[in-house]
Amino acid sequence: MQIEKQGIPTVQVSSIVDVAMMVGVPRLIRGYTITSPICDFHLSPDEEKAMRRRCVKKALALLQQEGKKGSYETI
Amino acid sequence: MMSDKLVQGNPENGKWRIVCYLNQFFGQIGGEDKADTGFLVKEGPIGPAMFLQSFFAGEGEVVATVICGDNYMADNLGEAVEEGFKLIADLKPSIFFSGPGFNSGRYGVACGAIAAAVQERLGIPAITGLYPENPGTDMYRKRAYVVKTGINAGTMRTALATMAGIGKRLLKNEPIGSAEKEGYFARGFLKNETVEKTAAVRGIEMLFDKVTGKPFKTELSIPQFEDIPPAPPVNDIKKATIALVSDGGVVPKGNPDKIKVSQNTVWASYNLDELFANPYQIAHSGYHPTEVRENLNRLLPMDVLKELEAEKEFGRLFPVFYSCSGNTTTVQSCKAIGEGIAKKLVEENVTAALLVST
Amino acid sequence: MKLRMESVKIVDVQFGAKTSISDGVLYINRQELTETVAGDENFASVGIEIVKPGESTRVINVVDVVEPRCKISGGVDFPGVLGGFIAAGRGTTRALKGMAVALCDRHRHWIHSKGIIDMAGPGAELGRYGKMPCVVVDPIPAGDVDDHAYAYSVRRAGFKAAVYLARAAGEDQVDESVVYDMETVYPDLPKLGYYYQIYSPQHDPKGIPDPIFYGYPISVTLPLVVNANEIIDGAVLSGYTIRMMETYSIQNHPIVTELLSRHGKDLNFAGVVMGVCSLEPVRRALAAMMIGNLFHDTLKADGVIMTKPLGGAPNVDLGVAASECEKLGVKTTLLIQALNTQASLDSEVLFNDPALNAIINCGIIFETAQLPELDKIIGGTGETAVFNDSCKQTAGHPIVVEKRFICGCLNQLGASPAVAVEY
C-alpha cells in the first residue's frame, strides 16, 4: 500500500486474499496456495507454466485498470 | 524510542532538577490574546508546576518553568520545538514535564512534541498528560510517556500525581507497570503477564455472556488500516517498467542482508538474473519451502515474465527484485519496509509493481 | 459417549525395585521401563531419567509431554498408534496426575521446534512441567536414521512409557473418578460448541504431515464432527514438534474439560467440530462454509469457541470460519495469540469482521525469556544448540529463548493464564 501511496500502481498475488482485502489492496489476484502462489505445482511442467503465464497476463491486465478495493480475481 | 533504562545525571544537592513546560494560560501570562507570545523561561515553578513540586518534596525541585504561547508553537511547530528544546537543554534537567494539556489541541500537540524531543535527544524521562482524543495523544504516545487525563483542568491534581509518580520511578530506575494499570497511553509495547484464569476459562465465560446477551469485553480488537486511495492505472503497458516484489523471503545463499525468518524488519534488492543463476535460500519460517525450492518461478514468475517481455506484452522487466520476509512481521515494520521499497521504486522510475505473497 | 476418568495423585517419582505406587510415590524399575520403550530399530539406546522441581536441571530437545494414561476398559491404549482402531472416549481410563513423561528427539531436523523444561529458576516458574516430577524418555537415534521414522518411533516410545507407568496404579489407588457424559443432552441450556483447528500444514517438513489424529496424518481433511470424549482420551496427539499444544495439554484439554464439567449445569456442550487450516483460498472458503453449517444445522449450537495452532495463516483461517458462523447466527469467541512485543492489542488479529467482537488474548508467543545456566543437561549435552534466531547458543550456558519453547508456558488451547498487556 505504501507503493500505491507513492502513485505507483501495484497488483498483488496472494493466497490469503482475506488479509490483502482487509489492508485494502486495490488490484488482487487470488494465489493458488501459500507455498506456491503463482501456480498449481501438482500440474505437469507445461501446464504449470501455462498457469503461471495466465496469472502474469491477468496481473498485466489488472495494472491497466482502475484499482478497486474489496474484491479479487482468480488465476 | 526510549530504552527502559535511563541514565541520569546525579544532582549536586541531591535533588533532581525538574523543568516544566506550560502554555501562556497555565504559565499565567494571559488568555487567547497572549497566544502569540514567544518563549519565556521563569525561574522556579509556576502554576501547575507548583503542584508538581509538592509531589517531589525533598527529592527534586522545579528549577525553571518554560512558557510559550499556543499560537507561537502551532504556527511553526518544528522551529518552535527546536527553540524550546535548546532552552530546556541549557537548564540541564534530570526530568521534564509538559502540560498536562488535557483536550486543548494546540497545547496538547506542543506538550507532546516538546516532550518527545527532550526524551529522544536528552535521554531523560519526559512526561506529559493528555485527554485520549487530543490529537497530540496518538502523535506522541510512543515517543514520551503520555498520561491519561480528564477533558479539562478539573482533573489537574490527579493528572499531576500520576505524572509525578511515573517520573519519580523512572528517575530511580524502578519498574513502570502496564499502561492500563499506571494510567498512561500504551507506548507500542506488549509484555506477557499472568492473570488468575486461563484463556480457556475466560473464553467460555465470554462466549456464555455473548450467547446469553450479557455484556462482555473483547481482549483483542480488530485492526484499523489507513485508507490509501489506489494509484492511477498504467497508461501504456508497452512502455511500462515492471518491478517484482515478494515477501516470500527469497535471498541468495548465505542471506547477505540478514533478512529474518520471522519478525523481519529489513528489505533487500537482488539482481534477478544472478538470483536465478546462483544458489538461493528462503529466509521465511512461516511456510515450508519445498515447492519454491523445486522451482523458484512458482514464487517469482521469471520464466513467463521474460517471455511476455520478449513478446512485447509490456515494456521492460526491472532487473532488480525487492525481497523481504512477511512472517509475523509487525504492521509497523511492514509499513516501514513498504515505504523503503516504494521510495526506491520512485527513484528508479518504475511504472508498476507485481507483488507476490506467500 | 461416556468416559470414566480415574485419577491417581502422584507427589513424587523415584527409581525402585518394582514399578508400583505407594502413598502417592511412583517407584519405577528403570530396567523394565527401558526395555518397554527400547527394542525399536530406529534407536541405538534409550535413556530414562527422573527430574524433579528444584533440581538444577535443564531438559532439552523436548518434542512432547504426555500424561501417564492407560485404558482400563472399553478401549485400547492410544488407538491408531499403540492399539487398533477402537474409538477413544468410551469406558474407563486411568491417569497419573501431577507428573508427566517428557520426550526428547535428538535428531538434527527442525531445531527451531524443540522445547525446554527447566526444573529450577525462571524457566521452572514460567513453564508448567518444571513444577512437577517428570520422567524423561531420551531415545538415541541408531546411526543415520530417517527423520520421520525416528520421530514416529520417539512418539511411540513416549506413549508406551505413559501406558507402562499408568499401569502401576491399582484400582484401590484411585483418588478421584469423574464421568464425562456426552450422551445426555440438556435442551433448555445454552448450547455451546467448540471448533478445534488441530493442524496447519504450512510447516510440514518435506511436505509430510504429522500423524496427529488416531496416529493418522489428516492435513487435508475437511471439517468433521468428533466426540469431546475422544479428544481427551487419546484420539488427538501432538505433532512431531513443540508447538504449544503438547499431548499433555490435549489430554487435559482446557476447553473440552471446562465445557464437559459445565455440561448439564449451566450449559449444554453441543459438540466439537475439528478441522485443519487451509492453505488454498478455495478450500478455506469451502471449509468455512462447512464449519458454519455443522455448528448451525448439525450440532445446533448457539455459540462456538474456537482455537488455532501456529501463527498467522491459521489466524486468518479461523477468522473466515468464525465469520461464516456469525452469518448463521452462531456466536463466536476466538482464542488468538499475539505474536510480537512491539505491537498493540489492536494489531495482532488478522481479520476485521466487526461481528468477531469476542477475542481472547492468549499472550505473546515471541516474547523472550533469559534463562540462567543450570548444572545438568538432559536430552543432549551442554554443547547442544538451542534455537535463537539472533545468536548461536548452547544448552550449557545462560540462554535466551522465545517463550513458545518453554514447555507449558504458553498454550494454543487456552491452558495458560498468560495475557499480552500494553506498555
Side-chain angles (χ1 to χ4, degrees):
Chain A
M1 290 312 297
Q2 299 305 318
I3 300 176
E4 292 275 341
K5 203 174 179 177
Q6 294 301 321
I8 298 178
T10 63
V11 55
Q12 184 177 358
V13 182
S14 169
S15 310
I16 313 185
V17 285
D18 314 275
V19 168
M21 286 198 289
M22 174 169 91
V23 178
V25 170
R27 294 172 202 84
L28 181 59
I29 296 174
R30 188 179 71 188
Y32 172 68
T33 186
I34 292 174
T35 57
S36 176
I38 303 279
C39 54
D40 180 352
F41 58 89
H42 299 99
L43 298 173
S44 72
D46 286 351
E47 287 171 329
E48 187 188 317
K49 194 173 171 194
M51 184 171 177
R52 268 203 297 283
R53 199 177 150 94
R54 210 157 64 234
C55 180
V56 174
K57 282 194 84 161
K58 191 153 257 174
L60 294 174
L62 275 178
L63 281 173
Q64 300 172 69
Q65 294 171 18
E66 292 290 342
K68 195 172 118 205
K69 296 184 185 188
S71 63
Y72 60 84
E73 299 268 330
T74 53
I75 297 176
Chain B
M1 192 185 312
M2 185 186 72
S3 72
D4 278 347
K5 281 186 184 164
L6 291 161
V7 183
Q8 304 308 325
N10 243 341
E12 278 167 25
N13 63 354
K15 287 185 180 179
W16 304 111
R17 290 174 65 85
I18 304 166
V19 171
C20 294
Y21 171 84
L22 298 172
N23 71 353
Q24 83 283 354
F25 178 74
F26 289 102
Q28 300 173 359
I29 305 294
E32 195 56 36
D33 55 321
K34 300 285 183 191
D36 293 320
T37 310
F39 277 96
L40 296 166
V41 179
K42 298 218 170 181
E43 203 173 314
I46 307 281
M50 293 176 78
F51 282 132
L52 202 59
Q53 173 84 68
S54 68
F55 294 111
F56 278 86
E59 292 185 284
E61 56 188 14
V62 177
V63 293
T65 308
V66 177
I67 301 163
C68 183
D70 281 339
N71 286 345
Y72 188 88
M73 281 296 272
D75 285 349
N76 203 339
L77 188 68
E79 282 176 26
V81 166
E82 196 57 35
E83 185 182 347
F85 172 77
K86 282 187 185 131
L87 294 171
I88 294 158
D90 286 347
L91 293 162
K92 303 205 177 345
S94 329
I95 187 165
F96 175 76
F97 293 94
S98 56
F102 308 104
N103 199 28
S104 316
R106 287 168 304 174
Y107 187 28
V109 171
C111 285
I114 208 152
V118 168
Q119 177 162 299
E120 285 165 0
R121 291 163 65 184
L122 295 183
I124 64 164
I127 302 159
T128 186
L130 298 174
Y131 185 66
E133 286 166 33
N134 193 311
T137 300
D138 265 352
M139 288 166 74
Y140 298 105
R141 66 186 171 90
K142 291 183 181 172
R143 297 173 56 192
Y145 273 97
V146 180
V147 164
K148 195 181 215 167
T149 73
I151 197 158
N152 58 39
T155 55
M156 178 70 87
R157 275 259 179 193
T158 339
L160 287 172
T162 309
M163 288 163 65
I166 290 174
K168 264 195 216 176
R169 277 176 293 147
L170 286 172
L171 284 168
K172 295 174 185 175
N173 270 333
E174 289 172 6
I176 307 294
S178 70
E180 194 177 347
K181 196 170 135 214
E182 300 273 1
Y184 61 88
F185 293 102
R187 299 181 304 138
F189 297 99
L190 293 178
K191 286 187 189 176
N192 278 327
E193 287 185 1
T194 300
V195 292
E196 200 186 317
K197 292 174 179 166
T198 64
V201 170
R202 300 197 317 276
I204 291 166
E205 282 174 1
M206 190 181 286
L207 180 62
F208 194 86
D209 289 343
K210 189 170 169 179
V211 165
T212 54
K214 294 194 190 84
F216 61 92
K217 189 169 176 278
T218 189
E219 297 178 354
L220 294 174
S221 39
I222 56 173
Q224 308 292 331
F225 291 94
E226 184 186 353
D227 188 14
I228 299 170
V234 175
N235 242 335
D236 185 355
I237 196 82
K238 307 273 182 217
K239 289 186 183 150
T241 303
I242 295 177
L244 197 49
V245 182
S246 174
D247 61 11
V250 181
V251 295
K253 190 91 192 158
N255 192 5
D257 297 285
K258 298 197 166 42
I259 288 181
K260 287 182 76 178
V261 297
S262 68
Q263 302 175 83
N264 175 49
T265 54
V266 297
W267 59 277
S269 55
Y270 304 109
N271 180 285
L272 271 168
D273 290 326
E274 285 174 22
L275 185 73
F276 271 76
N278 294 296
Y280 60 89
Q281 69 185 69
I282 308 297
H284 191 305
S285 65
Y287 70 100
H288 204 266
T290 315
E291 278 82 65
V292 177
R293 270 193 207 139
E294 279 172 7
N295 185 351
L296 188 51
N297 287 298
R298 288 170 178 162
L299 181 66
L300 308 177
M302 256 280 273
D303 54 353
V304 295
L305 278 166
K306 288 265 180 193
E307 279 179 18
L308 292 167
E309 184 185 27
E311 293 164 25
K312 309 232 180 308
E313 290 281 339
F314 66 98
R316 182 170 81 105
L317 174 62
F318 194 65
V320 174
F321 152 68
Y322 296 89
S323 183
C324 62
S325 166
N327 177 31
T328 66
T329 307
T330 63
V331 176
Q332 207 175 315
S333 303
C334 287
K335 198 172 167 221
I337 289 169
E339 282 168 352
I341 295 175
K343 192 166 163 256
K344 194 73 192 161
L345 295 179
V346 171
E347 281 172 25
E348 301 282 5
N349 280 321
V350 164
T351 323
L354 170 58
L355 280 52
V356 187
S357 294
T358 50
Chain C
M1 270 186 176
K2 261 189 202 169
L3 173 68
R4 175 182 293 276
M5 186 65 79
E6 299 179 344
S7 300
V8 179
K9 181 91 188 94
I10 300 297
V11 294
D12 190 19
V13 180
Q14 298 176 17
F15 288 119
K18 182 173 183 289
T19 300
S20 59
I21 295 167
S22 173
D23 293 331
V25 179
L26 171 65
Y27 296 93
I28 301 172
N29 179 318
R30 192 177 196 167
Q31 180 66 26
E32 199 174 273
L33 174 56
T34 308
E35 284 165 9
T36 303
V37 298
D40 187 303
E41 61 179 11
N42 293 308
F43 300 159
S45 62
V46 180
I48 300 287
E49 300 290 341
I50 293 169
V51 295
K52 298 183 191 186
E55 290 176 1
S56 182
T57 300
R58 169 167 297 151
V59 187
I60 60 166
N61 282 329
V62 179
V63 288
D64 200 8
V65 185
V66 185
E67 185 174 82
R69 293 271 182 101
C70 66
K71 206 71 197 171
I72 301 300
S73 65
V76 293
D77 296 314
F78 295 100
V81 180
L82 299 184
F85 285 113
I86 296 172
R90 288 195 186 93
T92 300
T93 297
R94 195 167 289 163
L96 304 189
K97 294 285 172 184
M99 66 163 294
V101 174
L103 266 181
C104 299
D105 177 331
R106 291 199 180 214
H107 222 278
R108 292 177 305 268
H109 71 287
W110 283 81
I111 172 197
H112 52 290
S113 297
K114 293 183 181 178
I116 287 175
I117 300 174
D118 274 7
M119 302 308 292
E125 278 302 306
L126 287 165
R128 185 179 195 174
Y129 306 107
K131 299 182 181 74
M132 59 175 81
C134 294
V135 175
V136 182
V137 177
D138 179 20
I140 310 298
D144 199 17
V145 294
D146 174 72
D147 288 352
H148 280 88
Y150 170 70
Y152 191 69
S153 292
V154 169
R155 149 190 303 281
R156 284 171 56 87
F159 296 139
K160 281 181 195 166
V163 173
Y164 169 83
L165 295 176
R167 292 239 176 265
E171 195 174 348
D172 55 336
Q173 288 166 317
V174 172
D175 295 306
E176 197 192 0
S177 184
V178 183
V179 175
Y180 294 122
D181 177 2
M182 281 300 283
E183 289 172 7
T184 313
V185 292
Y186 304 90
D188 298 334
L189 296 175
K191 296 181 276 296
L192 304 191
Y194 171 42
Y195 175 62
Y196 187 8
Q197 193 184 62
I198 59 169
Y199 196 69
S200 178
Q202 79 212 66
H203 287 281
D204 288 349
K206 298 182 186 168
I208 304 171
D210 295 356
I212 63 171
F213 185 60
Y214 285 103
Y216 191 78
I218 63 159
S219 74
V220 292
T221 302
L222 286 166
L224 49 110
V225 174
V226 296
N227 196 286
N229 283 347
E230 290 179 85
I231 294 169
I232 56 169
D233 197 33
V236 184
L237 308 164
S238 168
Y240 284 157
T241 50
I242 276 287
R243 297 209 182 266
M244 300 173 283
M245 292 189 297
E246 61 285 356
T247 298
Y248 185 101
S249 69
I250 304 170
Q251 295 170 309
N252 293 281
H253 197 302
I255 287 174
V256 173
T257 54
E258 176 75 3
L259 286 171
L260 280 169
S261 69
R262 289 172 69 170
H263 182 54
K265 293 197 178 99
D266 61 345
L267 57 83
N268 181 72
F269 189 176
V272 182
V273 173
M274 180 182 280
V276 299
C277 174
S278 304
L279 302 190
E280 308 91 0
V282 175
R283 190 185 178 287
R284 184 176 307 124
L286 169 63
M289 176 200 78
M290 291 178 68
I291 292 161
N293 283 345
L294 286 171
F295 279 112
H296 183 258
D297 297 292
T298 303
L299 300 179
K300 304 195 189 309
D302 301 317
V304 52
I305 184 163
M306 311 177 104
T307 62
K308 57 174 270 286
L310 303 178
N315 185 331
V316 178
D317 210 67
L318 203 68
V320 176
S323 290
E324 288 301 314
C325 291
E326 293 277 355
K327 273 188 213 162
L328 296 171
V330 180
K331 307 282 186 214
T332 61
T333 294
L334 295 84
L335 268 62
I336 300 288
Q337 295 73 36
L339 299 172
N340 301 293
T341 51
Q342 280 191 38
S344 58
L345 294 180
D346 63 1
S347 70
E348 297 302 283
V349 169
L350 296 178
F351 43 79
N352 67 344
D353 178 353
L356 309 186
N357 58 358
I359 309 167
I360 297 292
N361 164 349
C362 300
I364 318 145
I365 64 178
F366 288 123
E367 186 175 76
T368 55
Q370 296 192 13
L371 304 179
E373 181 180 337
L374 296 181
D375 294 343
K376 195 172 170 189
I377 305 296
I378 291 179
T381 70
E383 297 312 307
T384 305
V386 174
F387 178 70
N388 182 324
D389 198 20
S390 336
C391 65
K392 289 216 187 312
Q393 57 182 11
T394 51
H397 297 92
I399 51 175
V400 175
V401 293
E402 288 166 0
K403 287 186 175 169
R404 62 193 170 119
F405 296 123
I406 299 173
C407 299
C409 171
L410 298 169
N411 186 263
Q412 304 261 27
L413 308 176
S416 167
V419 296
V421 175
E422 288 189 317
Y423 270 76

